[in-house]
Amino acid sequence: MTTYPVTTNEHDPLPIVACGDPILRRVADPVDPSMLHTPELRRLITDMRRTMEMAPGVGLAAPQVGVPLQLAVLQDGPQQWGHLSDDERALRQRQDLPFTVLVNPVIRPAGDDDRVSFYEGCLSVPGLTGVVARHRVVQVEAFDQDGQPIDRLFSGWAARIVQHEVDHLGGHLYLDRVQTRSLSTVDNFASRWAGRPAHDAATALGFALD
Ligand code: NI
């Protein structure tokens, strides 16, 4: 029987596991559909949503809160991108992504399989950001929190979020895929590279863009 890291009250975020913890490096277990209607799993999803929103983040996978299950939550919108200019948001192809739960997700590249390189970060890798090439469009098959099947395309920033979170469920971190020479502290990113073309950082730091 799996026990979940239940918060002591409904206003606190769950503690987020940082890299170096083996739970982030194992393949998470599939969710048995019969678990979806249990109070424990509903509570876990509620707690994960609050934790993601408070962090703040645009995605969170169950292993990041110490639960080795194939479950992730996603959300993007004006509250998350409020600090970006319209140009910066357009560059990232960020669009409204309503709160979404993915249970047992399987993804595959879709469209013409082009990739987009951009900075991303991870709540389990605090203080750093780096450039990762991700598929621009992915097809996602999964179940939602009610056990209803999901079969849809995600593109742009939403596709990046999905690929990042599904990686977590397979025991992968963005650090495994990052252009290592692009790695930057969030402070250096903010002061040097935010709002500038990624090619400027690529040239100055010596990494390749796809
Ligand atoms: Ni992450």
Side-chain angles (χ1 to χ4, degrees):
M1 181 69 191
T2 307
T3 54
Y4 304 120
V6 188
T7 50
T8 50
N9 74 61
E10 60 188 22
H11 305 294
D12 292 336
L14 297 171
I16 294 178
V17 173
C19 58
D21 189 314
I23 198 168
L24 293 176
R25 291 310 199 170
R26 56 163 287 191
V27 178
D29 299 327
V31 176
D32 184 323
S34 67
M35 293 170 64
L36 289 174
H37 301 289
T38 62
E40 290 80 7
L41 210 75
R42 293 207 169 266
R43 175 73 186 266
L44 174 65
I45 291 169
T46 301
D47 286 346
M48 285 176 62
R49 179 177 190 167
R50 185 177 62 258
T51 302
M52 171 179 68
E53 289 176 347
M54 291 178 73
V58 292
L60 188 69
Q64 293 183 274
V65 293
V67 180
L69 289 176
Q70 297 270 336
L71 170 69
V73 295
L74 330 166
Q75 180 170 248
D76 199 14
Q79 282 203 306
Q80 285 76 25
W81 69 55
H83 59 294
L84 296 179
S85 69
D86 288 349
D87 284 350
E88 288 173 321
R89 182 164 71 85
L91 183 65
R92 291 162 177 75
Q93 299 178 44
R94 288 182 74 160
Q95 296 179 331
D96 257 320
L97 173 63
F99 177 72
T100 302
V101 179
L102 297 180
V103 175
N104 301 339
V106 176
I107 66 172
R108 62 178 189 276
D112 50 9
D113 196 26
D114 54 340
R115 289 170 172 241
V116 183
S117 289
F118 213 87
Y119 284 92
E120 63 182 69
C122 179
L123 297 173
S124 294
V125 187
L128 288 178
T129 182
V131 171
V132 183
R134 298 287 191 185
H135 300 291
R136 193 178 63 80
V137 186
V138 291
Q139 180 84 31
V140 180
E141 289 184 54
F143 295 93
D144 70 11
Q145 62 268 48
D146 298 315
Q148 297 301 309
I150 295 171
D151 186 355
R152 57 175 277 206
L153 291 172
F154 289 75
S155 65
W157 202 256
R160 178 172 297 276
I161 299 169
V162 168
Q163 289 168 85
H164 180 115
E165 300 311 327
V166 171
D167 267 355
H168 274 300
L169 304 182
H172 307 292
L173 297 173
Y174 88 92
L175 295 175
D176 305 335
R177 308 190 189 283
V178 73
Q179 287 274 2
T180 49
R181 294 186 66 117
S182 75
L183 280 169
S184 172
T185 64
V186 290
D187 288 345
N188 267 339
F189 176 77
S191 63
R192 293 174 180 273
W193 309 120
R196 293 177 61 182
H199 287 281
D200 291 359
T203 301
L205 300 177
F207 63 90
L209 287 172
D210 280 7

